[in-house]
């Protein structure tokens, strides 16, 4: 096992203090540590070996620097993770033991399901299986928080077959396609696609409508229709705009 140098230790301490870093930030950190310790800066392969050296030294302590893919933007991110669950490691979590139990039961359902996912209703029903009582409202808040902190992956499943996409994968796959079709059954993809024409307009119209609604007595739906007519033509606006809010 190759021993860590001062540059390795500086890199590890920075990862521990900063948390999750994207690929660009990791490369910048590597260059900064090498420069500070007067070590030659290598290429991407050298950075990879640099991280391998750190991991070989900290793995006996059940720690490792791992890489993951962000489901929203598809970019690589790196972070220091714990490889074993112990009484001490559980104290480092921001979540209670009861909340972690619900999360583990949710993962168990996902792993054993035929479609590799779990609905929000199924998650709420899992609260009945917890050793300690949890309200449905508390479970919903927990799911919202875990989604914001990237514990839970967002995705869509075709209504006609078993094809599934992470949101960022769907955005990449359907980019430039005017009539998106499921790659599995070749039927029309039934879900909205992040980043496609009209999707960002819908979000803008909703935000604008809410702001106007808070300052006037005009019904929300009337304001929404006004914003749609004023800012876009009918053929360019997604069908969700015709729904009632």
């Amino acid at each position: 096992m190759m021993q860590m140098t001062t540059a390795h230790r500086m890199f590890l301490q920075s990862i521990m203090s900063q948390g999750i870093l994207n690929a660009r930030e990791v490369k910048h950190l590597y260059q900064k540590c090498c420069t500070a310790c007067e070590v030659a800066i290598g290429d991407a392969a050298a950075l990879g070996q640099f991280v391998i050296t750190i991991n070989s030294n900290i793995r006996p302590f059940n720690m490792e620097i791992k890489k993951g893919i962000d489901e929203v933007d598809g970019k690589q991110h790196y972070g220091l993770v714990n490889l074993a669950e112990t009484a001490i490691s559980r104290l480092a979590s921001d979540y209670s033991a009861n909340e972690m139990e619900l999360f583990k039961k949710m993962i168990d359902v996902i792993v054993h399901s035929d479609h590799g996912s779990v609905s929000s209703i199924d998650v709420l029903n899992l609260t009945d299986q917890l050793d300690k009582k949890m309200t449905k409202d508390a479970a919903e808040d927990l799911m919202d928080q875990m989604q914001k902190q990237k514990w839970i992956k967002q995705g869509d499943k075709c209504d006609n077959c078993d094809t599934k996409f992470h949101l960022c994968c769907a955005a990449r796959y359907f980019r430039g396609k005017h009539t998106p079709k499921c790659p599995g059954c070749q039927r029309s993809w039934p879900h909205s696609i992040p980043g496609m024409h009209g999707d960002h307009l819908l979000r803008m119209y909703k935000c604008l409508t809410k702001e106007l609604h808070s300052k006037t007595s005009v019904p929300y739906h009337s304001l929404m229709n006004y914003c749609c007519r004023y800012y876009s033509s009918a053929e360019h606006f997604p069908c969700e705009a015709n729904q009632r809010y």
Side-chain angles (χ1 to χ4, degrees):
M1 179 175 64
M2 187 173 181
Q3 296 298 313
M4 290 198 301
T5 65
T6 302
H8 291 101
R9 288 188 286 270
M10 182 182 296
F11 184 93
L12 176 59
Q13 290 173 349
S14 297
I15 288 278
M16 292 173 65
S17 64
Q18 297 182 49
I20 304 298
L21 300 177
N22 60 38
R24 180 184 58 80
E25 292 170 333
V26 167
K27 181 179 180 181
H28 176 72
L29 176 60
Y30 165 68
Q31 295 173 342
K32 186 176 180 179
C33 292
C34 289
T35 300
C37 298
E38 298 181 349
V39 177
I41 299 174
D43 54 12
L47 172 56
Q49 186 58 49
F50 187 87
V51 173
I52 290 175
T53 298
I54 295 176
N55 282 340
S56 65
N57 280 268
I58 65 176
R59 198 171 290 115
F61 304 99
N62 297 317
M63 303 294 288
E64 189 173 295
I65 297 175
K66 283 187 172 289
K67 177 179 68 175
I69 306 298
D70 190 305
E71 63 164 356
V72 176
D73 58 23
K75 296 180 179 179
Q76 296 179 350
H77 289 73
Y78 298 78
L80 184 66
V81 300
N82 174 46
L83 302 177
E85 183 180 8
T86 64
I88 295 177
S89 65
R90 285 194 291 269
L91 295 175
S93 174
D94 292 332
Y95 298 101
S96 67
N98 204 41
E99 291 172 333
M100 291 306 298
E101 183 185 357
L102 177 60
F103 177 71
K104 291 175 183 177
K105 288 184 179 297
M106 181 185 68
I107 297 300
D108 189 60
V109 171
I110 292 174
V111 171
H112 291 91
S113 67
D114 294 332
H115 43 75
S117 62
V118 61
S119 69
S120 57
I121 295 178
D122 289 336
V123 173
L124 295 180
N125 290 334
L126 289 174
T127 58
D128 297 331
Q129 303 176 21
L130 299 177
D131 294 334
K132 187 178 178 180
K133 184 178 180 181
M134 178 185 294
T135 66
K136 297 296 191 291
D137 288 341
E140 288 182 346
D141 292 340
L142 175 62
M143 293 302 102
D144 290 341
Q145 185 66 20
M146 285 189 160
Q147 182 174 314
K148 292 177 181 178
Q149 295 185 356
K150 312 295 184 176
W151 284 61
I152 304 173
K153 292 184 176 182
Q154 302 174 359
D156 290 317
K157 177 181 177 296
C158 179
D159 293 342
N160 305 299
C161 68
D162 292 331
T163 300
K164 297 181 290 293
F165 274 114
H166 286 140
L167 296 186
C168 65
C169 298
R172 288 199 302 268
Y173 182 83
F174 293 121
R175 184 179 299 138
K177 299 179 180 179
H178 298 292
T179 55
K181 293 183 179 181
C182 172
C185 62
Q186 295 303 311
R187 296 186 181 182
S188 178
W189 186 250
H191 306 287
S192 61
I193 302 169
M196 285 197 69
H197 183 73
D199 186 70
H200 65 290
L201 292 177
L202 179 58
R203 291 195 297 270
M204 181 187 74
Y205 296 153
K206 286 183 177 179
C207 291
L208 178 60
T209 301
K210 288 181 179 179
E211 181 178 355
L212 291 174
H213 183 61
S214 66
K215 298 178 180 179
T216 69
S217 59
V218 180
Y220 185 93
H221 188 250
S222 298
L223 286 171
M224 186 67 177
N225 287 336
Y226 170 78
C227 291
C228 296
R229 291 195 302 270
Y230 187 83
Y231 286 100
S232 69
S233 58
E235 67 270 18
H236 289 154
F237 195 77
C239 60
E240 289 102 318
N242 294 323
Q243 296 178 349
R244 299 191 66 83
Y245 293 86

